Amino acid sequence: MRTVLGARLSVVTGEFLTFGTDEVLNRVDGNPRIALLGPVLNYEETRALVEGLSERYPGVGLIVVREQRSDLEDWVDELALHAVLSPAATDETTMELIDRLSAWLISTGHAQESDFEIQDVPVTEFAPTSEPDPESFEALLLGDQEEEEPESFEPFEYDPLTEAEPDRAWAFPPLDAGSPTEAIAVVAPKGGQGKTTIAINLATGLAEVAQNSVVLVDADLQFGDISAALGLTPERTIVDAASADAGDELVLKTTLTHHPDGFFVVASAPSPDLGDTVDPRALGALVERLRAYFRYVVVDTTPGLGEHTLVALEHVTDAIFVTNMGVPSLRALRTEFELLSTIGLMPANRLVVLNQADRQSGLSIRDAENIIGAPIDVEVPRSSAVLLASNRGVPLIHDDVRDPAAKAIRSIVMRVAPDAFPKRSRIHRRRRSNEPE
Ligand SMILES: Nc1ncnc2c1ncn2[C@@H]1O[C@H](COP(=O)(O)OP(=O)(O)OP(=O)(O)O)[C@@H](O)[C@H]1O
Ligand SMILES: [Mg+2]
């Protein structure tokens, strides 16, 4: 939508529904003339938003983005919607629908020409003459559109080295760059926040300053996916590495898989039930043993604070906490901090990473920090290069050096190892598929 509508689009994310419809409506900017209600909303949520929008912005055009389903016609009738747009609609179809609705709103006096111009137009004086008549704008039921590659948002201008504001009373001090950093756990209370992405790239970056003295442990015992994301085919896994036999140095080394960028991987269990056989204490012992041989041990974890993750936290010096900008994730992170402090398991150094940062989320960085109750140390923007790198089995910081997310992740590496500044000779930048040979 951002690509298609540019500055004309204003977004309120669904997370605010947690606090009720009014919280969503209060975040609507200006005087919108068309509202698109997203596909994840249920009937009740859609109804409440439709009513609230029509009351606050009389004459607003209402489009529901929803798949063609048997109850769709009821929605259109009962909610007096102007149109329905398929979530899979092409950009052209989307624009065509919006243009048609705009033209109709103008012709019926519900909007003015200037409301739909690209410049920022003050539209506060708009007063509708009558309620819209949904019957006269034929509801467009658009189904069976061809699936499109989802477009990523344009990454916003980003400076990874910008400092957090200095004079706020934070619950936690920022990571001390000068402190010894040997074992680093990457944790998050919720899944899918970017732990694995950060763990892989941290190990890759650290390997530039400590070649072959870095080990990346996939302690996401049930669904670990580091080997796949790095294109490795491990012969042994964490099940072997955490077994009693691996107390022997030579045996331990046979359980590691080498990555060509100069680090080792302890692969995740081959199946979730085998993962379950790993005793949490054995995982703790494994981290300790690895610390005897490697300068840096990076531990990727399962979401939440299960026993394995708690034990891992007991054996590390640093923790990197990852969250996205969703209110539920931010709140969960605050709870996680409180819990870890209470039980005395907060590692000495901690770094808070806001991943998939997005200026369109409706939250500012300051809002996010207030919810977490701690400063955000690094913001990693949302970038399609992350998925591309993972699908290609290459660490992002070596796949696309100039990508804003890669630069931000590089700054995490530099917080852990300040000398990990990218040096040309160390970066074997691989050609992206759209670049000439
Ligand atoms: N900055 C980003 N921009 C765009 N996509 C991202 C970004 N960070 C992570 N992703 C994508 O989000 C998804 C989840 O990331 P990742 O696997 O690193 O998270 P995770 O916390 O390890 O998840 P899980 O809890 O399932 O282990 C992946 O598809 C990844 O490519
Ligand atoms: Mg993961």
Side-chain angles (χ1 to χ4, degrees):
M1 294 310 295
R2 173 70 55 201
T3 316
V4 175
L5 291 169
R8 286 179 294 176
L9 179 72
S10 162
V11 179
V12 183
T13 59
E15 272 95 17
F16 292 102
L17 277 172
T18 318
F19 307 111
T21 321
D22 277 352
E23 282 306 308
V24 175
L25 295 169
N26 291 341
R27 284 181 160 75
V28 174
D29 274 344
N31 180 18
R33 294 292 82 220
I34 293 182
L36 286 114
L37 302 170
V40 296
L41 301 172
N42 63 28
Y43 180 82
E44 267 314 306
E45 291 163 340
T46 308
R47 189 188 54 74
L49 289 173
V50 163
E51 281 174 7
L53 286 164
S54 307
E55 195 183 305
R56 295 184 187 209
Y57 310 102
V60 65
L62 295 164
I63 300 177
V64 161
V65 182
R66 196 158 184 268
E67 262 136 41
Q68 183 117 34
R69 297 238 292 263
S70 55
D71 58 355
L72 194 56
E73 275 179 46
D74 299 340
W75 282 48
V76 173
D77 289 349
E78 286 160 26
L79 303 178
L81 303 172
H82 295 110
V84 177
L85 180 67
S86 160
T90 60
D91 290 353
E92 292 73 46
T93 311
T94 305
M95 258 340 277
E96 195 189 315
L97 177 64
I98 289 172
D99 285 343
R100 284 182 62 186
L101 183 52
S102 314
W104 180 78
L105 289 168
I106 294 167
S107 72
T108 52
H110 294 112
Q112 293 160 8
E113 211 62 73
S114 57
D115 291 339
F116 300 104
E117 279 162 12
I118 293 169
Q119 311 92 301
D120 280 343
V121 193
V123 281
T124 41
E125 271 141 36
F126 168 69
T129 49
S130 65
E131 283 299 295
D133 174 13
E135 296 300 323
S136 57
F137 186 83
E138 195 188 347
L140 300 177
L141 304 182
L142 304 166
D144 305 328
Q145 300 289 338
E146 257 181 49
E147 276 285 332
E148 284 229 316
E149 270 291 296
E151 276 280 339
S152 68
F153 284 129
E154 195 65 22
F156 50 80
E157 189 118 8
Y158 175 76
D159 176 5
L161 298 178
T162 313
E163 291 292 318
E165 287 168 52
D167 56 358
R168 296 184 60 185
W170 297 115
F172 304 109
L175 185 83
D176 177 3
S179 59
T181 54
E182 280 139 355
I184 309 118
V186 185
V187 295
K190 293 202 174 256
Q193 311 287 300
K195 294 180 295 301
T196 302
T197 303
I198 287 165
I200 286 175
N201 286 285
L202 179 59
T204 306
L206 291 173
E208 292 171 8
V209 285
Q211 273 278 307
N212 295 329
S213 194
V214 177
V215 63
L216 172 58
V217 182
D218 192 344
D220 185 350
L221 289 156
Q222 293 199 310
F223 298 105
D225 48 6
I226 287 180
S227 317
L230 287 173
L232 297 172
T233 38
E235 281 174 17
R236 304 282 184 83
T237 69
I238 194 160
V239 179
D240 310 301
S243 73
D245 297 347
D248 179 86
E249 184 186 337
L250 285 178
V251 178
L252 178 65
K253 287 194 170 158
T254 64
T255 66
L256 309 176
T257 309
H258 189 250
H259 188 278
D261 285 354
F263 60 93
F264 291 85
V265 172
V266 176
S268 174
S271 70
D273 43 327
L274 275 172
D276 279 342
T277 64
V278 175
D279 187 285
R281 281 163 306 177
L283 173 64
L286 171 64
V287 172
E288 288 299 334
R289 241 179 293 133
L290 291 170
R291 285 179 66 179
Y293 307 116
F294 291 93
R295 169 109 190 265
Y296 295 106
V297 179
V298 179
V299 186
D300 186 18
T301 61
T302 314
L305 288 179
E307 249 191 293
H308 288 97
T309 303
L310 285 174
V311 170
L313 283 169
E314 247 180 304
H315 293 274
V316 295
T317 47
D318 300 22
I320 296 178
F321 294 92
V322 190
T323 179
N324 63 21
M325 292 192 85
V327 172
S329 309
L330 296 164
R331 290 166 71 99
L333 186 55
R334 184 190 195 105
T335 311
E336 179 157 320
F337 281 158
E338 286 165 358
L339 183 72
L340 289 176
S341 301
T342 310
I343 59 180
L345 274 187
M346 182 64 94
N349 298 305
R350 57 236 130 185
L351 197 72
V352 177
V353 175
L354 184 71
N355 188 29
Q356 311 195 17
D358 190 336
R359 290 282 148 95
Q360 309 307 326
S361 73
L363 280 193
S364 67
I365 300 304
R366 172 69 76 104
D367 294 335
E369 291 180 326
N370 284 337
I371 299 174
I372 304 173
I376 286 162
D377 299 289
V378 179
E379 267 177 71
V380 180
R382 185 188 290 280
S383 162
S384 54
V386 175
L387 190 60
L388 277 176
S390 158
N391 288 347
R392 281 148 46 75
V394 179
L396 172 70
I397 61 166
H398 284 180
D399 189 45
D400 192 346
V401 184
R402 285 169 301 192
D403 175 72
K407 286 184 185 162
I409 293 178
R410 165 76 58 186
S411 79
I412 301 174
V413 181
M414 283 159 60
R415 297 290 277 258
V416 177
D419 49 343
F421 203 76
K423 295 187 180 62
R424 286 265 154 248
S425 61
R426 288 210 181 105
I427 293 174
H428 317 289
R429 181 169 176 267
R430 284 161 224 210
R431 207 175 284 115
R432 298 189 71 178
S433 49
N434 57 356
E435 279 180 9
E437 297 278 322

